């Protein structure tokens, strides 16, 4: 179903805080990030917040290198919410053109993921009653068999 106005408001605040946590000049960015993402605990909340995170990524897409830290935090949050991982490299290779191509690809992969799995978000999560969010770094996806076919 559609997100309620209350869920939308919550999702907008969560996304604002995820983006704010990418600002290296603020105090306790990790606490801001965790406080934002850890309140997302149910599948309904995940379904409300993921499209908002994707909207933010879409807005940042015009310059993925300049917006690298914000995109990285969005990527990390999406992994936490969904259990799905793309190989977003926040450190970069030192080659701006190469980094741009790779980061744009990661953003597009998230849109593809949402298009394909928005009705079955538990596919990549640990199955069970709990929707525990792991605030850890996404794994590096090395096993092609674990990723959906392109």
């Amino acid at each position: 179903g559609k997100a309620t106005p209350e869920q939308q408001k919550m999702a907008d605040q969560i996304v604002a805080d995820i983006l704010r946590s990418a600002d290296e000049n603020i105090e306790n960015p990790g606490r801001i990030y965790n406080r934002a993402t850890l309140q997302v605990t149910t599948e309904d909340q995940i379904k409300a917040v993921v499209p908002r995170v994707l909207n933010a990524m879409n807005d940042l897409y015009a310059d993925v290198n300049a917006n690298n830290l914000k995109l990285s935090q969005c990527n990390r949050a999406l992994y936490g919410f969904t259990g799905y991982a793309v190989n977003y490299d926040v450190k970069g290779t030192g080659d701006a053109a190469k980094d741009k191509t790779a980061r744009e690809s990661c953003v597009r992969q998230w849109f593809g993921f949402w298009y394909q799995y928005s009705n079955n978000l538990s596919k990549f999560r640990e199955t069970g009653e709990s929707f525990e969010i792991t605030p850890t770094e996404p794994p590096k996806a090395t096993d092609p068999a674990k990723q959906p076919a392109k």
Side-chain angles (χ1 to χ4, degrees), residues 79-100:
Y79 165 68
F81 297 148
T82 66
Y84 183 81
V86 303
N87 280 322
Y88 193 94
D89 181 11
V90 66
K91 289 185 184 72
T93 62
D95 178 336
K98 205 169 166 182
D99 292 343
K100 179 179 192 288

Side-chain angles (χ1 to χ4, degrees), residues 4 8 18 33 35 53 57-58 68 71 73 80-81 84 86 88 90 96 106 110-111 125 130 134 137 139 142:
T4 65
Q8 289 177 346
I18 289 168
Y33 174 87
R35 193 179 60 213
V53 177
M57 289 182 112
N58 187 58
N68 178 35
L71 284 166
Q73 290 296 76
F81 297 148
Y84 183 81
V86 303
Y88 193 94
V90 66
C106 286
W110 276 117
F111 277 88
R125 300 182 63 88
S130 162
T134 50
E137 290 302 316
T142 48

Side-chain angles (χ1 to χ4, degrees), residues 37-47 80-83 120-135:
T37 56
L38 292 175
Q39 45 181 313
V40 181
T41 55
T42 68
E43 184 143 8
D44 281 349
Q45 289 171 331
I46 292 167
K47 284 184 172 175
F81 297 148
T82 66
N120 184 17
L121 283 180
S122 57
K123 182 172 174 57
F124 296 93
R125 300 182 63 88
E126 297 300 315
T127 48
E129 290 303 300
S130 162
F131 271 97
E132 283 298 305
I133 304 296
T134 50

Side-chain angles (χ1 to χ4, degrees), residues 50 54 57 71 74-80 82-86 88 105-115 138:
V50 168
L54 291 172
M57 289 182 112
L71 284 166
C74 288
N75 173 71
R76 202 174 136 201
L78 288 174
Y79 165 68
T82 66
Y84 183 81
V86 303
Y88 193 94
S105 169
C106 286
V107 173
R108 288 196 305 272
Q109 287 173 56
W110 276 117
F111 277 88
F113 160 81
W114 182 250
Y115 179 76

